[in-house]
Amino acid sequence: MDFPTYGIVSLGGVTVGLSLLGWEITRWWPGAKQAGKPKHLVKLLPFLLVWLYGMLLILSAGGLLGAGADWSLWGSSAIGDAALAYGVGGDTPNVTRSSHLVLSPGGHAVVIIATVVLIAVWTKRRGFNWMILRAILSGISLGLASGVAGIAGYVLSPVVSTAGDAVTGLL
């Protein structure tokens, strides 16, 4: 079954992704004295892990998870484009990375494993968690972006693919 792929990041999509990231960091920020303490840094870790998971989703080649990520990327870009155009009268150029990254078969296995773990965590808490949704959408919005905004996706793809291939015995 083929799903349409969009895979294009506009400045609006990056704006949405960075806005969601900024929201979470602002809510987490305790002040300069507390921010560097390991005990407080751990409180940001769940968001960052789910954020990286969102980046993995947009790097997926297809299937239901990849299609959901593509649709989410399209939606965040459309919302961000509208905010830039109608909110401040700005332009929304394409800022998609010029080199495409694709996960290896082992990397795709890691995405499935991470999805199962995320669902287990989500259902264990017995309720909808907006932080998880913000983190996934932020990661999806920034995963294919060029420049500093998308650097985590650029580093994440080969690391996850290599680790997944090593664990599954594909190396």
Side-chain angles (χ1 to χ4, degrees):
M1 177 179 237
D2 291 330
F3 295 100
T5 56
Y6 304 103
I8 297 173
V9 184
S10 69
L11 182 58
V14 170
T15 301
V16 168
L18 290 175
S19 295
L20 292 171
L21 181 61
W23 172 278
E24 202 61 39
I25 290 173
T26 301
R27 304 279 300 197
W28 163 84
W29 184 255
K33 288 185 178 182
Q34 295 291 325
K37 293 186 178 179
K39 181 179 177 183
H40 197 71
L41 285 172
V42 168
K43 293 180 181 179
L44 191 59
L45 190 61
F47 177 86
L48 293 176
L49 290 174
V50 178
W51 183 66
L52 292 172
Y53 170 75
M55 288 188 175
L56 285 176
L57 285 181
I58 199 62
L59 295 174
S60 297
L64 290 174
L65 291 174
D70 276 343
W71 294 332
S72 299
L73 176 60
W74 170 80
S76 69
S77 288
I79 290 168
D81 291 349
L84 286 171
Y86 300 114
V88 295
D91 292 331
T92 57
N94 179 357
V95 293
T96 308
R97 177 182 302 119
S98 60
S99 62
H100 291 286
L101 298 172
V102 180
L103 294 173
S104 68
H108 284 124
V110 170
V111 171
I112 295 297
I113 294 164
T115 301
V116 170
V117 169
L118 183 62
I119 291 170
V121 168
W122 207 336
T123 57
K124 182 179 179 183
R125 294 181 182 228
R126 292 182 174 76
F128 186 77
N129 189 334
W130 286 101
M131 182 278 298
I132 292 175
L133 183 62
R134 286 191 304 268
I136 289 173
L137 287 175
S138 179
I140 287 171
S141 298
L142 298 174
L144 296 177
S146 62
V148 176
I151 196 73
Y154 190 75
V155 171
L156 187 63
S157 177
V159 169
V160 168
S161 290
T162 302
D165 288 345
V167 170
T168 59
L170 293 174
L171 282 181

